[in-house]
């Protein structure tokens, strides 16, 4: 897991200014992964993970650390199959988050809606069952339980520089509420530690009907200490979660000290809701060995500015 | 702890069919026990346990992993005393769950209501205190707290093949709501790794008045690789939790490969609510070494069929 | 962490007697600290802590173990800086709790209100935001989130026998509700393992306006096995949390066996709400090596008696 803390600034709207909302706050995160695993005599590995996470100022995880839903997995000969709260194919693809900046690893690039490994309790999968849940022949108070029937299945195959993934998320296994399921694919390839290629596709992302998203990205190390990447994400799908198309150009450069890394991106999104089509940001990270200091300054498609400065350490 | 996942099938009632409830769902569990202990200079061991558990599709633990209430214990010279969320005498007796099948270790044998070690938050022990809780002389808003005053005490004595247990559960120590407490006893004995005998008795099981349950069971290894058991459970007590008497015949047989274990049971229950008095099931487990594959097919006293298939691994 | 269990007796008020509240209950606690840390190449240590705690019969932690909010810290050359759910300067000062008795480490000395490291979820920091939280230009249902924006910063400097601390707690970083912040200082010094001195001051303790509290204490080992201490706490501040002035005389004496420790205190408080100005108590602890047995008998400013007996073990 890791810990991070620092200061984040978010430019207020006029309404927020009027209400007196502070623009600068201290935001921290503490994440601990609890992993357990065992190996069978045939060389198959079985494992599982819980996550404890606290996000300062978060509505759902700010008050106390929260346990998430579990993930179980089986690994053998490069193939990993996961069940439960899985890492989805689309969310896990390389380069998708390549433009993130600073110690908080955040950017203002619009990517649309899709499922990911959930650090929180599973949300939006509650079913108010009005059927005979307990099977006693009557539909009564005992049957009005909230069911959480989210399930994910994901498979990853890794060989040399290639990774291929497929995932299937059914937010309601009971079939009582949601009809749509998310199906995702992704593949990425790294050549000679120099060229990275990635592609992903998700159908009914986030179990939202017709929310199909396509992603393709590439990054090349033009020098030993400099990389340039270009991402294209197509979420123009006329669904409820349509966020248009996004083209992101990003790169990073490591100074001669070998510790300071400068990052930047500019992203063009053609969604009609935008105040401006171009979002951009610049960031820096300084490696402490085991920890890093970082900062970023960004402006989003809503023409508002945000900045952060902080420290992150991994354990 | 352990992880398990797989598929469970439950035959729908007509009402469930009409509502469109899926009969087959993926059900997983992830359990991690957090144990801590210390030893005094006199050779007395002090210990404690928390449990983290996630049960996919469960109403109370499906949404995220849940911490349970703690258990504290002291062990010395074969005697263990537990306090808090304890393992009760009745629930812990050998053979009581001897008829469980498959990787999910479940059966459809009716056993009535009694307290057990609770993997969940303590339920049903909330007291709406309308007395002077904070002792300031007034009864006001500060006194309307929910109190959770469940307490259990259990003692186990183990010597050679013999185990004797006694437990006492007071679901409301404050005395403000519940008047009934559960008192349980059990003893089991294993002779020569061949013959197992067990008996248990609980008074006011689950703190339900007059809910007295008596259990006696025996299992004998008729061959090196085959065991047959017979259980008798008397819960005909005219209480609110009366489930009649149950006689269960069960056994298991290990194939010559030493890895495949076939299990089966038939249970006769005389409760008036039953559609049929006989429940039965057959199951199989295949040992992977550290993990096992299993399956079962069962029909309960409600004449509905259930089946499961899955994998379980311990860590 | 540690575990403890035993019996506590609280004398009822007449109203509690009439309601039938039990005066004697079993009270247990199980605490586990989850620590993680890493060191940078410059010799700076970064760390973090979660706590799991279950308090039997507690309204907030009685039902199940609870995770608290996280604490992150950085340590280098005797200076420790904490962020998040921090140990506050006032609460951490030596001797402040020097009069606590028995295995439960409790007394009936009035100390007023101030923030401390919170074993529970952060309370009282929820903001019903009626401003544009999500920044979409509208104030709608999505903006009515509960925010938990508590933040603490604390610094401790330790050198030889000296410790100096400063802490700053802002219960609402958003600025939308609470205006007051707590600022605290403390310093303590130990000379020759014989003399202990401590002083602390907190302004707007517990973020309650004008709730300024001053504390000074000293303890001296008059013999190898006997210590006497005197504390003075001034909370006469005309704030909503005014509890008057308290002078506490306390001491402890270890018997010749080196294992049995007798403790006692008498505390005089001049608050008008008191039934009596003097609270006093006597306690004993017996060291088992790794665990200890303890008991206490006390009478508080409300003229009611409380007693406890139990065992505590650390791991």
């Amino acid at each position: 897991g890791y810990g991070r803390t620092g200061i984040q600034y978010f430019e207020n709207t006029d309404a927020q200014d009027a209400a007196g909302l502070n623009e600068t706050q201290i935001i921290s995160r503490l994440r601990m992964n609890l992993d357990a695993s065992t190996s069978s005599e045939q060389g198959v590995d079985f494992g599982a993970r819980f996550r404890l996470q606290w996000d300062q100022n978060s509505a759902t995880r700010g008050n106390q650390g929260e346990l998430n839903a579990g993930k179980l997995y089986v690994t053998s000969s490069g193939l990993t199959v996961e069940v439960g709260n899985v890492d989805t194919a689309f969310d896990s693809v390389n380069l998708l988050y390549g433009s993130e900046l600073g110690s908080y690893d955040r950017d203002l690039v619009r990517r649309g809606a899709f499922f990911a490994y959930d650090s929180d309790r599973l949300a939006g999968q509650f079913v108010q069952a009005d059927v005979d849940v307990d099977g006693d022949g009557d539909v009564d108070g005992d049957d009005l339980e909230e069911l959480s029937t989210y399930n994910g299945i994901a498979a990853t195959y890794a060989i040399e520089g290639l990774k291929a993934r497929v995932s299937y998320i059914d937010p309601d296994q009971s079939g009582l509420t949601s009809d749509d399921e998310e199906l995702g694919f992704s593949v990425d390839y790294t050549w000679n530690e120099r060229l990275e290629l990635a592609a992903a596709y998700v159908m009914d992302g986030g179990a939202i009907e017709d929310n199909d998203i396509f992603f393709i990205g590439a990054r090349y190390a033009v020098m030993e200490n400099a990389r340039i990447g270009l991402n294209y994400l197509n979420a123009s799908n006329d669904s409820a979660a349509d966020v248009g198309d996004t083209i992101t150009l990003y790169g990073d450069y490591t100074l001669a000290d070998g510790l300071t890394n400068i990052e930047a991106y500019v992203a063009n999104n053609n969604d009609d809701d935008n105040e401006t089509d171009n979002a951009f940001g610049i960031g820096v990270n300084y490696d402490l060995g085991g920890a890093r200091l970082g900062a970023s300054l960004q402006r989003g498609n809503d023409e508002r500015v945000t900045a952060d400065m902080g420290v992150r350490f991994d354990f």
Side-chain angles (χ1 to χ4, degrees), chain A residues 100-153:
Chain A
E100 289 181 336
L101 307 179
S103 63
Y104 284 99
D105 292 320
R106 65 193 188 93
D107 63 22
L108 299 172
V109 176
R110 303 187 69 172
R111 293 186 180 89
F114 44 85
F115 286 113
Y117 179 74
D118 201 339
S119 295
D120 209 341
R121 59 184 68 195
L122 295 174
Q125 289 90 36
F126 281 124
V127 182
Q128 280 286 351
D130 51 356
V131 293
D132 186 14
V133 170
D134 56 8
D136 64 356
D138 298 315
V139 177
D140 52 27
D142 294 337
D143 299 315
L144 289 170
E145 295 183 305
E146 283 191 323
L147 303 174
S148 180
T149 63
Y150 178 99
N151 185 61
I153 303 179

Side-chain angles (χ1 to χ4, degrees), chain A residues 90-91 96-97 109-115 202 205-206 208 211-213 233-237 239 241-244 246 269:
Chain A
F90 196 87
D91 184 68
L96 180 62
Y97 299 102
V109 176
R110 303 187 69 172
R111 293 186 180 89
F114 44 85
F115 286 113
V202 63
I208 298 161
N211 180 30
D212 302 344
I213 309 176
L233 186 137
N234 181 326
S236 299
N237 48 37
S239 75
D242 183 343
V243 297
T246 311
N269 177 277

